[in-house]
Every structure is written in structure tokens, then in C-alpha cells.
Amino acid sequence: MPWGSAPILSPREPGGPATRVRVAQPALRVGRDPSCDVVISEPTVSRRHAKLTWDGKELVVEDLGSSGGTFVNEQRVQRATIQPGDVLRLGPRTEYVVQLEATSTPLEVAAQSTGGGGEAGVRHLQMLLDVARALNAATVLEEVKMGEWAHQKVGRFSKGMKQRVNIAASLLSDPDVVILDEPSTGLDPRGMAEVRNIVRGLKKENRLVFMSSHILSEVVDVCDEVALINRGKLLFYDTLANVSKRLTATSTSVELSFLGPVSEEVLSAQVGSVPGVTSVSRVGPQRARVTIAGGPEAQARVLEQVAAARLGLISFEPSQSALEEVYLQEISRGD
């Protein structure tokens, strides 16, 4: 059959020493030697193992006296013509599936290579489907940063690594919609950060991600829209920007950081007494959360007066607990 495009050799085991090869020149030497056109760092591949010849119509493989042998569809060959869908093996374990460069489906390639049917067609189709699954698995493992552990047993993985494998499994069918149920629960800070980065990556792939979480700071960090639920009842659904507006329509919550520890008494006397401040609470030795009546202008006035108090103020920023405060407000209304 006419190829119609340059052959592509795809490794049957992605992540191994073999790499994807596009046969675009008349002859390619394959082996471990650095002088070869295609270098494979696999001990069972000879230094100068085989030569691929492509004339635009026919792909031929020729063994160069290798110790491990060259095989096409499990048959050892000295010289053979290769068809789309054939499996080329160099030595005992380095295998490629030969494909068309064009975006043909496995079924189309199998039908073209066998005249449309028969056992050979089924064999070619199964080989191509196996490779498609392997390539897809390698892709999703890379997407969740687990490619280098592709051949390791899952039982020895940490909980965070297992969670990433679970996310990869959900991506195998390349879904447009992904549902994640508390993906970072039980993970250490590093594992939580890794999972959040993965979720952000899914968003960049134009997938719709539904994620449930009890960690509201995580929702603020990765989500664009939020639905708050209490006892099975939907409290509201909105964008995060609009959630903040709900809170700041009449007041604003900000967090203050100080150079050194500040006591409750000092906060109450020096910050709580500033006009516009409706509440102040100490959330750490050097941090406080302040509620200010009004919007940006009120914040500016409070910032100016707190800085003038010389308490060692080093930051003044919107509170990351806005979503939590709205949630608690909505619950209290329902109760």
C-alpha cells in the first residue's frame, strides 16, 4: 500500500530508552553507538544494530549483524519491508510500532494495511490500540508529574503520589469534565501543593473541573466559581469575585502582619480604636484580622492610621478567609 507520508516509529513502552522516530531521510542507522542517526541507550541493542531505508514509497529494515537480532512481527529478519501497523523489535525488548505520520485512526491504519479485514487486520488494530493506550497512559502520567515512576509499583508510593496516580487514571479517556472529590485531603503541605498545581494545569487544558473540598483556602486558590452547600442544601453559587463583593458591600476583612509580636491589649487599644474598624482579632503572635466598615477608601484611612501607630506593620492585605466568612454568614441565616 502507498504510505502517503513519512513513517513514524513509536515505542511500545513509553518512558523507556527508545524514543519516537520520524523516518524522514533516505537511511537511518539505529544502535547504541553515538555515531548512529538514532541512538538507543539500551544494553540489549547492538552498537550498530539496524538500518532503516525510506524512499518515499517503501520502508525497509536491514539487520547490521546485531547480536540480539532484528524482528518484524516476532519474525527474525535480515532484511524486510515494513508496513504500517507492523511491530519492529531490536534485540529482546526494544519494540516500536510503525505508524503513518498522518492523523489516521488505528482502525483506518489497520484497514489500509490489510485490505479491510481478516486476522491480520485484527492483529494490526490490536497492536495499534495497545500502543495508543500506552502512549495515552504516558501522557497523563507526565501531566500529573509521575512519568519517571511509570514502571514502579504503586504500593510503595506515598499518599500524595497515589493521589496523583488516581487523577491520572481519571484522565485516561481524555474527558472534557473531571470530578475530584477532596483531592488534597490527608496530604502533607507538599502533596497538597502538588495536587493544586495539577488542578490548575487541568484548567489550562480547557477541561471543566468540579472539585469538592472542605478546605476553603484551597477553593480560593484554584477555583473560579464556587457553590456552597450546608446539610445538602445549596446556599448559593457564584464567581469568587462576586463572593468577595457579598462580604465587602458593607465591610472589608483585612489581615495585618507585624514585625514582632503584638498583644491583644495593644491591638484593641491601638487598632480597635481606629475609626472605621468594627472588629479586630489576633490570629497569631504577629498577625491580626481586622474588619473595616466600608470599601477601599475606608481601608486606606485605616491603613494610614495603623501605620502611624508605629506597631511595626509590614503588610496589610485582603483576608483569605473571605469565603469562609460568607459561608458562615449564609449558615447563620439558614439557622
Side-chain angles (χ1 to χ4, degrees), residues 36-297:
C36 290
D37 301 299
V38 178
V39 179
I40 303 175
S41 56
E42 163 60 49
T44 61
V45 173
S46 297
R47 291 180 62 83
R48 294 176 180 83
H49 196 107
K51 181 174 73 172
L52 293 165
T53 305
W54 166 247
D55 62 4
K57 297 180 180 179
E58 187 176 69
L59 178 64
V60 175
V61 63
E62 180 181 353
D63 188 86
L64 298 179
S66 67
S67 58
T70 299
F71 301 78
V72 176
N73 299 331
E74 301 301 326
Q75 298 295 316
R76 186 163 186 167
V77 299
Q78 183 60 40
R79 187 178 189 278
T81 300
I82 300 177
Q83 298 294 332
D86 285 346
V87 175
L88 172 65
R89 176 157 60 85
L90 307 176
R93 59 177 181 237
T94 302
E95 289 187 317
Y96 291 94
V97 172
V98 184
Q99 301 171 301
L100 297 175
E101 185 178 31
T103 56
S104 301
T105 66
L107 182 59
E108 290 169 340
V109 173
Q112 291 171 352
S113 62
T114 62
E119 291 185 6
V122 173
R123 174 171 55 81
H124 281 92
L125 175 59
Q126 186 58 55
M127 289 177 181
L128 289 171
L129 289 175
D130 288 345
V131 171
R133 293 190 187 99
L135 289 173
N136 192 32
T139 299
V140 298
L141 285 175
E142 288 297 336
E143 194 168 351
V144 299
K145 308 297 187 294
M146 288 294 292
E148 61 183 295
W149 291 284
H151 302 291
Q152 303 297 320
K153 292 185 177 180
V154 176
R156 292 182 291 181
F157 289 173
S158 67
K159 189 168 183 179
M161 295 170 74
K162 290 178 180 177
Q163 189 67 297
R164 283 188 275 165
V165 171
N166 287 335
I167 295 175
S170 71
L171 301 177
L172 278 174
S173 61
D174 192 23
D176 293 324
V177 179
V178 180
I179 300 175
L180 302 176
D181 183 18
E182 301 191 36
S184 61
T185 297
L187 303 184
D188 59 24
R190 179 178 178 179
M192 292 174 69
E194 289 171 344
V195 168
R196 290 174 186 176
N197 285 334
I198 291 170
V199 175
R200 293 190 195 99
L202 296 179
K203 290 167 55 180
K204 293 179 182 178
E205 295 293 330
N206 292 323
R207 290 187 173 103
L208 176 61
V209 182
F210 285 95
M211 183 184 78
S212 67
S213 178
H214 286 93
I215 307 172
L216 298 186
S217 59
E218 175 179 69
V219 175
V220 172
D221 194 25
V222 301
C223 296
D224 301 311
E225 300 175 347
V226 61
L228 296 184
I229 299 173
N230 182 41
R231 298 178 182 176
K233 180 182 177 181
L234 178 65
L235 299 180
F236 70 84
Y237 164 73
D238 212 332
T239 64
L240 279 174
N242 286 340
V243 168
S244 297
K245 288 179 182 178
R246 284 173 178 251
L247 187 64
T248 60
T250 58
S251 63
T252 303
S253 181
V254 298
E255 292 194 3
L256 313 181
S257 295
F258 299 93
L259 189 60
V262 180
S263 66
E264 289 275 8
E265 293 76 14
V266 170
L267 285 174
S268 178
Q270 298 291 327
V271 180
S273 61
V274 172
V277 172
T278 59
S279 69
V280 57
S281 59
R282 190 167 180 258
V283 293
Q286 296 169 241
R287 295 184 64 83
R289 183 173 299 127
V290 177
T291 303
I292 303 169
E297 293 181 357

